[in-house]
């Protein structure tokens, strides 16, 4: 009995030693990986987690960045959601905030409706057997490579009401009157910003669609061709259905990006005229970095937190709807 017990104890001890040895070997093999991940982890903590903690802290304070922060509790949030005061008081700053959400949602929907079909059509073009497809792929992606700030400045020059080339041609065609400023009208300025942003960023979504199109098995198209399906039938019955999951992800990324964007309006209009092109995150930016007035870091942090929650809710609703559509 003692010998059997001794053998069992020896076997257990040997097993534990082997397990410890295996763990040490795995840890040694993982050291290079952890070392490579460390810089990214540090940047994530500094540039991602710390700002979130900072915003969650100072949204409870009245703070302008220079004086001593004053704790106000949830007063900042009460002002944001005090709809009675917002709609009854003329010039209430939070009326601009909530109206900016209407502009932001309109911007996101219109830009997505323009950008996604354009990206998909260009992806179909550059993945087909058309001559010069590599040239077109580079051409379509080129706006994404160029500095967006410089592109928006060029748009502003072309839309100059006195000597802008686009304004000149539009006035000659009779679309607008001579010396008419398209950026001084909130409706035309809003549309120009959407078109400018769509032109710059559609190339990135085109690459996502290209990745999805190239992963569709070729034998599916070959079987359809043998069965007599033409190109239009292959597009609507094979390509689009098999790209549905990828399309849902691309649309989600586009919508979230639009909800957080300041768009070309930051350069072209500064949110004007009369807040007509001021998107939500431009409103937040102006709270932190106002021109000629005192910064409102505490209120800006509170508005940022509320806006982040709204973006999260919209994203969750979109994911829920698309998941149901996927299973249906």
């Amino acid at each position: 009995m003692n010998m059997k017990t001794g053998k069992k104890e020896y076997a257990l001890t040997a097993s534990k030693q082997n397990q410890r040895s295996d763990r040490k070997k795995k840890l040694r093999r993982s050291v290079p990986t952890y070392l490579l991940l460390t810089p990214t982890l540090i940047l994530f903590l500094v540039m991602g987690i710390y700002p979130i903690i900072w915003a969650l802290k100072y949204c409870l304070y009245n703070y302008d960045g220079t004086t001593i922060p004053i704790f106000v509790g949830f007063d900042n949030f009460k002002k944001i959601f005090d709809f009675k005061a917002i709609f009854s008081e003329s010039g209430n700053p939070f009326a601009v905030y909530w109206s900016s959400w209407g502009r932001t949602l309109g911007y996101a929907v219109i830009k997505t409706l323009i950008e996604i079909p354009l990206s998909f059509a260009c992806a179909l073009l550059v993945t087909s057997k058309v001559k010069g497809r590599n040239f077109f792929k580079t051409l379509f992606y080129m706006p994404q490579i160029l500095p967006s700030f410089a592109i928006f400045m060029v748009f502003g020059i072309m839309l100059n009401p006195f000597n802008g080339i686009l304004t000149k041609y539009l006035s000659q065609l009779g679309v607008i009157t001579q010396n008419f400023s398209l950026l001084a009208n909130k409706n035309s300025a809003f549309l120009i910003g959407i078109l400018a942003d769509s032109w710059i960023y559609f190339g990135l979504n085109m690459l996502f669609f290209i990745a999805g199109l190239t992963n569709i098995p070729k034998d599916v198209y070959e079987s359809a061709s043998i069965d007599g399906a033409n190109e239009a039938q292959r597009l609507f019955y094979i390509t689009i259905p098999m790209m549905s999951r990828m399309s849902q992800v691309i649309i989600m990324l586009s919508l979230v990006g639009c909800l957080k964007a300041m768009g070309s309006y930051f350069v072209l209009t500064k949110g004007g005229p009369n807040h007509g092109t001021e998107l939500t995150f431009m409103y937040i930016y102006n709270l932190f970095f106002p021109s000629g007035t005192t910064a409102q870091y505490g209120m800006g942090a509170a508005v940022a937190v509320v806006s982040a929650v709204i973006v999260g809710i919209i994203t969750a609703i979109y994911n829920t709807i698309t998941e149901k559509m996927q299973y249906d």
Side-chain angles (χ1 to χ4, degrees):
M1 289 292 295
N2 291 334
M3 291 181 64
K4 290 182 179 179
T5 303
K7 288 181 179 179
K8 289 181 179 179
E9 290 178 352
Y10 176 78
L12 289 172
T13 303
S15 176
K16 290 179 180 179
Q17 288 177 348
N18 290 332
Q19 290 176 359
R20 284 196 294 268
S21 177
D22 291 339
R23 284 197 293 266
K24 289 179 180 179
K25 289 180 181 178
K26 289 180 180 178
L27 183 61
R28 282 196 296 269
R29 287 196 296 266
S30 302
V31 167
T33 304
Y34 289 127
L35 289 175
L36 292 172
L37 289 174
T38 299
T40 303
L41 181 61
I42 292 172
L43 284 174
F44 176 72
L45 292 173
V46 174
M47 306 300 293
I49 301 299
Y50 175 74
I52 294 173
I53 296 172
W54 187 95
L56 291 174
K57 174 185 175 181
Y58 281 102
C59 66
L60 304 175
Y61 287 81
N62 183 4
Y63 182 47
D64 60 4
T66 56
T67 59
I68 298 174
I70 301 172
F71 182 79
V72 294
F74 292 98
D75 285 355
N76 290 331
F77 294 101
K78 290 178 181 178
K79 291 178 182 178
I80 297 172
F81 291 101
D82 189 1
F83 294 110
K84 184 178 180 180
I86 290 171
F87 293 114
S88 61
E89 297 175 2
S90 60
N92 191 298
F94 298 107
V96 177
Y97 169 68
W98 288 111
S99 64
S100 73
W101 269 112
R103 290 186 292 272
T104 301
L105 292 173
Y107 168 85
V109 172
I110 297 172
K111 181 174 177 287
T112 301
L113 289 175
I114 294 173
E115 186 177 309
I116 298 302
L118 178 62
S119 302
F120 184 65
C122 292
L124 288 174
L125 175 66
V126 299
T127 53
S128 65
K129 296 180 180 180
V130 66
K131 291 183 178 180
R133 56 183 180 271
N134 289 330
F135 167 77
F136 287 114
K137 186 188 297 185
T138 305
L139 181 67
F140 295 151
Y141 190 70
M142 186 64 69
Q144 181 71 28
I145 300 173
L146 300 174
S148 57
F149 183 86
I151 294 176
F152 295 146
M153 291 295 293
V154 172
F155 266 92
I157 294 171
M158 292 191 298
L159 293 168
N160 187 291
F162 301 103
N163 55 9
I165 186 170
L166 288 180
T167 306
K168 176 183 176 181
Y169 286 133
L170 290 174
S171 62
Q172 289 177 351
L173 293 171
V175 178
I176 59 174
T177 59
Q178 191 174 8
N179 298 335
F180 178 79
S181 178
L182 290 167
L183 296 178
N185 180 279
K186 65 179 182 180
N187 294 324
S188 59
F190 188 72
L191 180 59
I192 287 168
I194 292 173
L195 294 175
D197 288 337
S198 298
W199 181 73
I200 288 176
Y201 296 111
F202 86 94
L204 180 62
N205 289 324
M206 179 194 70
L207 292 184
F208 293 149
F209 279 120
I210 290 173
L213 289 171
T214 53
N215 284 328
I216 297 177
K218 300 299 181 184
D219 55 354
V220 178
Y221 291 110
E222 293 173 359
S223 300
S225 298
I226 293 172
D227 292 337
N230 55 36
E231 289 191 11
Q233 290 172 328
R234 291 198 295 270
L235 173 64
F236 287 102
Y237 293 104
I238 297 176
T239 305
I240 293 178
M242 295 190 74
M243 284 291 294
S244 61
R245 190 62 179 170
M246 173 70 80
S247 299
Q248 289 172 5
V249 175
I250 294 172
I251 293 171
M252 185 193 72
L253 293 174
S254 178
L255 284 173
V256 172
C258 290
L259 293 175
K260 299 188 299 180
M262 293 191 288
S264 57
Y265 308 118
F266 182 76
V267 177
L268 295 175
T269 64
K270 300 296 182 183
N274 193 25
H275 303 288
T277 58
E278 186 174 4
L279 303 183
T280 300
F281 278 76
M282 188 185 298
Y283 178 90
I284 298 172
Y285 176 88
N286 290 331
L287 288 176
F288 282 100
F289 306 103
S291 56
T293 57
T294 305
Q296 303 180 56
Y297 285 3
M299 184 57 71
V303 173
V305 169
V306 171
S307 300
V309 171
I310 293 173
V311 171
I313 291 172
I314 294 173
T315 306
I317 292 172
Y318 174 82
N319 285 331
T320 302
I321 293 173
T322 52
E323 284 293 334
K324 289 182 178 180
M325 292 173 61
Q326 185 75 18
Y327 290 114
D328 291 341

